[in-house]
Amino acid sequence: MMKNRKVGIMGGTFDPIHLGHLVVANEVLNMYKLDEIIFIPAGIPPHKIGIGASSWDRYLMVNMATLSNAKFKVSDIEINNPGKSYTLNTLRELTKLYTDTEFYFITGTDAVIDLPNWHEPQEVLSLCKFIAVSRPGISKEKVECKIIEIKNKFNGDIELLQVPMLQISSTDIRDRFKKGISAKYMLPESVEQYIIKNKLYLENNNDFWWNENKAGKFIIS
Ligand code: ATP
Ligand code: MG
């Protein structure tokens, strides 16, 4: 069947969203002439435990950060689904709902080399094309080698795209807020203000994600 729309998917914890995510999304949007990019904040990340903001806070911050771009959309599909977030379930749901859409899953090079450890990598790769964007820290050779390996093993479609590289990570930003070091210019000002106003990332709270429930978002602390 002929697919009429091309849509990028930017998955992540976005804890918090930063300029690295936004630059990458915009580059892929331009290079592949996509109709739009959907940012999908993960609900309970299967592999991550640490200091973290609630799903609701992360979802709001992604909305604030993407406000000025008409082609950036945000989906609550993962934060509203009970249980752990698996890309496989999300892709299954999206491809079933939007049969005329070709999906491009966007990941940084750190995430793409981890793909074999995802839940059901073979099926994930069968559902959409992958765009791996350059991220500082991993050599091009290593990534190219790993991509060939993944393609051979799982028969996926993965393209490597060089984008302007920003050495920004959410981990570093959380650490800065915790230590009181400025993270200005690494993330949108609205997101920075939201973090300060709501006192996010100030202390280690390992249980946060796991204790969260939907009512939790109405608790004012
Ligand atoms: P954390 O440090 O908590 O892992 P992160 O900065 O890696 O946060 P994620 O939410 O884990 O952000 O990333 C979502 C997606 O965006 C992943 O595919 C990741 O590789 C990609 N990404 C994040 N930051 C960058 C960056 N600076 N350049 C390129 N890709 C990035
Ligand atoms: Mg990450």
Side-chain angles (χ1 to χ4, degrees):
M1 182 184 155
M2 179 65 194
K3 310 244 182 195
N4 295 316
R5 284 170 57 74
K6 299 204 284 186
V7 171
I9 299 175
M10 187 83 197
T13 7
F14 303 115
D15 195 13
I17 188 165
H18 55 67
L19 295 195
H21 299 126
L22 296 164
V23 165
V24 155
N26 193 48
E27 290 299 303
V28 178
L29 184 79
N30 294 338
M31 295 297 294
Y32 289 87
K33 300 194 169 36
L34 304 182
D35 293 292
E36 61 182 41
I37 302 230
I38 311 176
F39 288 74
I40 310 186
I44 300 168
H47 306 298
K48 279 193 178 179
I49 301 181
I51 328 173
S54 68
S55 299
W56 179 247
D57 283 328
R58 292 180 291 110
Y59 176 71
L60 279 185
M61 290 191 281
V62 173
N63 272 282
M64 290 188 287
T66 53
L67 200 61
S68 64
N69 193 326
K71 292 190 170 178
F72 285 179
K73 308 283 165 64
V74 191
S75 166
D76 59 6
I77 183 172
E78 290 194 1
I79 65 158
N80 278 335
N81 273 345
K84 294 179 179 181
S85 298
Y86 287 116
T87 301
L88 175 65
N89 299 342
T90 305
L91 284 175
R92 273 184 182 158
E93 215 161 311
L94 289 175
T95 48
K96 202 157 56 179
L97 277 172
Y98 304 101
T99 47
D100 69 333
T101 302
E102 192 180 348
F103 288 103
Y104 292 67
F105 198 94
I106 305 159
T107 68
T109 40
D110 61 312
V112 86
I113 65 169
D114 185 49
L115 229 163
N117 301 321
W118 292 20
H119 183 56
E120 304 287 352
Q122 180 123 21
E123 194 184 339
V124 167
L125 281 158
S126 74
L127 291 171
C128 68
K129 193 182 171 75
F130 269 73
I131 311 295
V133 294
S134 52
R135 182 173 192 182
I138 298 158
S139 78
K140 196 163 175 249
E141 292 70 35
K142 181 172 176 191
V143 173
E144 281 170 343
C145 188
K146 198 79 192 175
I147 287 180
I148 292 171
E149 213 179 288
I150 296 171
K151 278 183 172 171
N152 287 342
K153 189 161 179 207
F154 302 111
N155 192 28
D157 182 356
I158 308 172
E159 268 180 39
L160 190 57
L161 178 70
Q162 294 297 321
V163 299
M165 289 208 262
L166 288 173
Q167 193 149 17
I168 301 177
S169 74
S170 303
T171 302
D172 177 50
I173 291 174
R174 290 192 301 273
D175 199 47
R176 283 165 183 257
F177 279 104
K178 193 175 169 200
K179 292 181 177 149
I181 299 166
S182 169
K184 252 192 194 320
Y185 318 117
M186 293 182 146
L187 68 176
E189 206 168 331
S190 55
V191 175
E192 185 197 5
Q193 293 304 320
Y194 184 88
I195 292 169
I196 294 168
K197 178 172 178 178
N198 294 289
K199 303 185 174 61
L200 304 184
Y201 308 124
L202 292 184
E203 53 202 302
N204 253 309
N205 188 352
N206 291 318
D207 296 330
F208 200 98
W209 277 321
W210 307 94
N211 290 337
E212 197 178 338
N213 57 38
K214 285 194 85 175
K217 65 189 169 196
F218 299 113
I219 294 170
I220 299 162
S221 52

